[in-house]
Amino acid sequence: MKNKKVYRVRAKSLDSQGRGVVSFNHSMIPVPGLLPGELAQIVLYRKGDETLGRILSIVEKSGERAEAVCSWSQKCGGCQLWSLNYEAQLKFKQEQVARLFNTVKNVGPVLGMDDFAGYRHKVHASFGRDQKGRIIAGIYEEHSHRILPVTDCRIQDPRANAIIEEICREMEEYKIQPYDEDTGRGMLRHVLIRSGYKTGQIMVVFVVATLNFPKGAVLGKNLRKKFPDIRTIVYNQNNKKTSMVLGKDQETIFGPGYIEDELCGMTFQISPKSFYQVNPKQAEVLYTKAMEMAKLTKQDRVLDTYCGTGTITLIAAKYAGEVTGVELNRSAVEDARINAGKNHMDHVTFVCADAARYMEQAQAVSSRYSVVIMDPPRSGSNPVFLNALGKMKPDRIIYISCNPATQKRDVDFLKRYGYRIDALQPVDMFPVTAEIENIALLRRGREKHK
C-alpha cells in the first residue's frame, strides 16, 4: 500500500495472533505490537493479502506494556507478544483457551515459567550475505526470504547464539561460501543446533550443498575447541529448492551422531531429525501434568499415538502396566526403541504403523486399551483416526495439542462417541509467542447417533 498517511487509532483488543486490533473504515486492522487501550500513530501497509498497521509512535501506553528487550522483535515475527508483560501474556493465553472451550468449567490456570530467557534448545539459522557482502546468519524476516542477522535472540540457548556468531567469523576467515539456492553456488546453507537442558550436551548440524565439505574439518575442530560442550557434529545435505531445513542424506563426522538429555527422570537420545520439545524445562511440566490428569495405574493398558521417539510413551510406562507406542516414521520408532533400552523399560512396545489402521486392527481382535494418549501435529487429527479412536472406546483420552483450535474441532468430533471434556490444562511452552499448549482429559459417557 503506497498511502503513507498517518492515522491516530486506539486498539480495542488482541486477535488470536497477539496483535492489537483497531477499527478503521468499518474494518478491523491488526497492528503488531499494539496493546488494548493504547493510542498510537500508525501507517498502513500490505503484507500478502492482509492490510496491517505499523506503529510510528505510542501516544498513550498500556500499563501491561513490557520494556522492549529485542531490537528485532518487530521484524522477525517470531515473538508476537514481545510488547506484553508476562503476567498479561498468561492472561491472554488463558482467555484464548477459555473462549474456545466456553462450555468447559474445569480449566486450570496456565502453567507458566519463572524465567523463560534462553528457553529454546533447538535453534536454526540460515546463512547469506548482507548488502555490503559480509556473511550473516539469522532467521528469515516474517513472510520474506530476507535474512535478519539475529545472533542474540533472547529466547534461544545463549550458547547456540555464540556458536552461530563464531561460525560466521570462521566462514569469513576460511572463505567458506554461504549457499545460494537461486544460483546453486556456495556450501553452507543452514546450521541446526540442539542442546540438552539437563546434560548440557550440544549437537551441531551443518546443512551443506554436498557432504564433501573439506573446510568443514577445520571449522568443526575450531568450534569444538572453543565450545567443549559440543558432543557431536553432523553434515546434512540439502541442495534442493525447499523450505525444509534438513535433507535426506547425512553423515556424522564427529561424535556419536546424537546427544542425550534427561526428562522426568529418564534419558532420551536426540538425533538430528528426532522430535524433542524445544522447551525441555516446560516439557517436564507438560508431561507431569498430563500423567496427573490421566491417573494411570498398573492396571491400565495405554496406547500412545503419534508417539515419535517415545518421550510420552516411556514416561507413561513409569505408571502403567503396559504401554504401546505407535508411529509411522520408521527412524523415529528406531530411536524410541533405543530410548526404551536406555531406560530399562521392558513392558513397552513400539509399532511402526499408521495409528488409525493399528487401532482398527486392535479392535478387530478385541484388543482394548483403557487410555489413549494423542499428541498430533498442529493441524490436528483426521476423521479416519478419530473414528477408529471412538470405536476403540478407551475409558480416557489424553489429548495434548499445540493448537487448541484444531483440538476443539477434534474433541467436538469425538462427542458423537460419547466423549466429554473432564478437564483442560493450558501450559505455556512458548513464552513471548501467541502459541499455547493445551491438555484435554476426555472421558467416555453415552454415545450419540453417528
Side-chain angles (χ1 to χ4, degrees), residues 127-190:
F127 294 98
R129 293 187 182 275
D130 63 14
Q131 293 180 339
K132 295 182 178 180
R134 296 172 300 197
I135 292 174
I136 57 173
I139 59 179
Y140 291 119
E141 185 174 349
E142 190 178 22
H143 304 302
S144 82
H145 213 60
R146 295 186 297 274
I147 294 176
L148 297 176
V150 182
T151 55
D152 59 346
C153 177
R154 301 300 179 90
I155 64 172
Q156 293 179 171
D157 183 341
R159 296 178 303 165
N161 289 334
I163 290 171
I164 293 167
E165 197 167 11
E166 178 63 19
I167 291 172
C168 287
R169 194 192 68 78
E170 301 260 354
M171 288 175 70
E172 293 280 14
E173 181 174 348
Y174 294 101
K175 311 299 182 186
I176 299 171
Q177 301 301 317
Y179 180 78
D180 186 326
E181 66 177 34
D182 293 326
T183 64
R185 296 174 182 172
M187 174 58 75
L188 196 50
R189 184 171 187 171
H190 311 288

Side-chain angles (χ1 to χ4, degrees), residues 68-76 82 148-154:
V69 294
C70 177
S71 58
W72 301 101
S73 54
Q74 294 191 60
K75 287 187 176 182
C76 89
W82 59 270
L148 297 176
V150 182
T151 55
D152 59 346
C153 177
R154 301 300 179 90

Side-chain angles (χ1 to χ4, degrees), residues 10 32 57 116 181 188 204 236 244 248 284 291 311 382:
R10 191 180 296 276
S57 65
F116 54 79
E181 66 177 34
L188 196 50
V204 177
N236 178 279
M244 300 292 289
K248 180 180 178 181
E284 285 200 329
M291 294 303 103
T311 314
N382 59 67

Side-chain angles (χ1 to χ4, degrees), residues 233-306:
I233 298 177
V234 177
Y235 294 165
N236 178 279
Q237 182 175 324
N238 186 355
N239 54 13
K240 301 184 182 300
K241 284 197 172 184
T242 173
S243 60
M244 300 292 289
V245 174
L246 298 180
K248 180 180 178 181
D249 298 325
Q250 62 186 36
E251 179 183 344
T252 301
I253 58 107
F254 170 74
Y258 61 85
I259 59 172
E260 293 181 333
D261 199 16
E262 296 172 11
L263 194 64
C264 296
M266 309 186 78
T267 300
F268 292 95
Q269 176 173 307
I270 308 166
S271 56
K273 298 180 182 179
S274 294
F275 172 79
Y276 191 73
Q277 292 283 1
V278 300
N279 186 347
K281 184 175 181 180
Q282 281 297 87
E284 285 200 329
V285 174
L286 176 74
Y287 296 151
T288 299
K289 192 62 183 180
M291 294 303 103
E292 288 177 6
M293 294 169 71
K295 291 183 170 59
L296 299 177
T297 70
K298 293 302 180 183
Q299 283 67 51
D300 281 312
R301 294 186 70 232
V302 179
L303 177 65
D304 179 19
T305 58
Y306 309 95

Side-chain angles (χ1 to χ4, degrees), residues 39 78 111 137 225 352 368 388 404:
L39 183 67
L111 302 178
K225 185 177 180 180
C352 184
R368 186 173 180 275

Side-chain angles (χ1 to χ4, degrees), residues 85-94 108-117 119 197 279-286 289 425-433 435-439:
N85 68 45
Y86 193 53
E87 183 180 351
Q89 288 180 35
L90 296 181
K91 179 183 175 184
F92 165 76
K93 297 184 180 190
Q94 186 82 33
V110 179
L111 302 178
M113 300 185 71
D114 294 330
D115 179 10
F116 54 79
Y119 72 79
Y197 172 65
N279 186 347
K281 184 175 181 180
Q282 281 297 87
E284 285 200 329
V285 174
L286 176 74
K289 192 62 183 180
Q425 179 58 67
V427 180
D428 190 18
M429 294 289 291
F430 313 104
V432 204
T433 78
E435 307 300 325
I436 180 68
E437 199 92 4
N438 195 42
I439 311 169

